[in-house]
Amino acid sequence: MKTRTLIALPLVAIVALAGCTEPGYMNDPNSKTQKGAITGALIGGIVGLAQGDGAGKAAAGAVIGGAVGAGIGNALDKQAADLRQDLGNDNVTIVNTGSQLIVTLPQDILFATDSAVVRAGLQSDLGALARNLQDYPSTTVQVVGHTDNTGSASYNQDLSTRRASSVSAILIANGTASYRIQSYGRGEDAPVATNLTAEGRAQNRRVEIVISPNT
């Protein structure tokens, strides 16, 4: 009986996660909170099992993990909504993964060709992002530069690093604590689209700001 209970807990969480793929789920404003709760419950249950004492600790771990996951998901939902309102820039995308916010700024609105100097028009958007980060201080921030594959890999790596540093410097100048920010470039190593078309290369030229709650 105990073995069945131990197996059932992860299976329940997996079934619940599968339900998240039902049509309309991604349009549910509570979907990220739910996903965070389910993921937290699954992790908590597994940790409880690892600690021994059978189903009791597994169930307690699932409850605690679910509560923590739901709290993280809810906080990210609210931060994402506030940030969309503050930015008001359709060229900037904000994706809530349930455990992180990923803010993507296309390179072509941030920088001139081969430049690491942020365009004046985008500095106000980065200022709004910095204020949002101050409103939600319990997070860490990664600023990651990306390029397409035009030119040499070493040049692209250097350019992406300098661009990430430029964005980080503006966030810090607008009040974000420097200890919260890590910036680095990935060059052409992490494309999100094909480099065989102009449209794909444009998508690959970007700076991503990854906001992660402290746990």
Side-chain angles (χ1 to χ4, degrees):
M1 187 66 178
K2 181 182 291 187
T3 301
R4 290 179 181 175
T5 304
L6 298 183
I7 294 171
L9 182 66
L11 286 178
V12 168
I14 291 168
V15 170
L17 281 172
C20 295
T21 63
E22 291 294 326
Y25 177 81
M26 294 308 294
N27 294 323
D28 182 349
N30 296 317
S31 63
K32 299 306 180 183
T33 301
Q34 293 164 358
K35 182 178 178 182
I38 294 167
T39 302
L42 179 58
I43 294 171
I46 292 171
V47 171
L49 288 175
Q51 290 177 345
D53 293 340
K57 280 198 173 181
V63 171
I64 294 170
V68 171
I72 290 173
N74 185 60
L76 289 175
D77 284 337
K78 188 175 186 307
Q79 184 174 6
D82 289 347
L83 186 54
R84 288 188 182 97
Q85 182 175 354
D86 293 342
L87 289 177
N89 188 333
D90 293 338
N91 292 312
V92 178
T93 62
I94 303 167
V95 175
N96 182 353
T97 69
S99 59
Q100 295 176 319
L101 293 184
I102 302 177
V103 182
T104 302
L105 301 100
Q107 170 207 284
D108 296 346
I109 68 171
L110 274 174
F111 306 103
T113 303
D114 292 332
S115 173
V117 178
V118 176
R119 297 181 190 271
L122 263 292
Q123 295 197 20
S124 60
D125 285 335
L126 291 176
L129 174 56
R131 290 189 293 274
N132 178 271
L133 292 173
Q134 293 170 64
D135 290 339
Y136 294 87
S138 298
T139 57
T140 57
V141 183
Q142 291 182 317
V143 182
V144 189
H146 300 270
T147 69
D148 60 25
N149 67 348
T150 303
S152 70
S154 60
Y155 178 82
N156 288 333
Q157 177 62 46
D158 176 70
L159 181 62
S160 67
T161 299
R162 289 189 289 118
R163 286 176 166 170
S165 296
S166 293
V167 170
S168 296
I170 292 175
L171 294 178
I172 293 169
N174 280 274
T176 306
S178 59
Y179 68 83
R180 294 176 59 192
I181 298 179
Q182 177 187 13
S183 71
Y184 56 94
R186 295 199 60 185
E188 59 191 59
D189 290 342
V192 293
T194 179
N195 277 308
L196 298 177
T197 66
E199 293 80 6
R201 289 191 294 274
Q203 292 180 58
N204 292 332
R205 298 189 299 267
R206 68 201 190 278
V207 172
E208 292 179 339
I209 299 170
V210 182
I211 303 169
S212 303
N214 296 330
T215 55

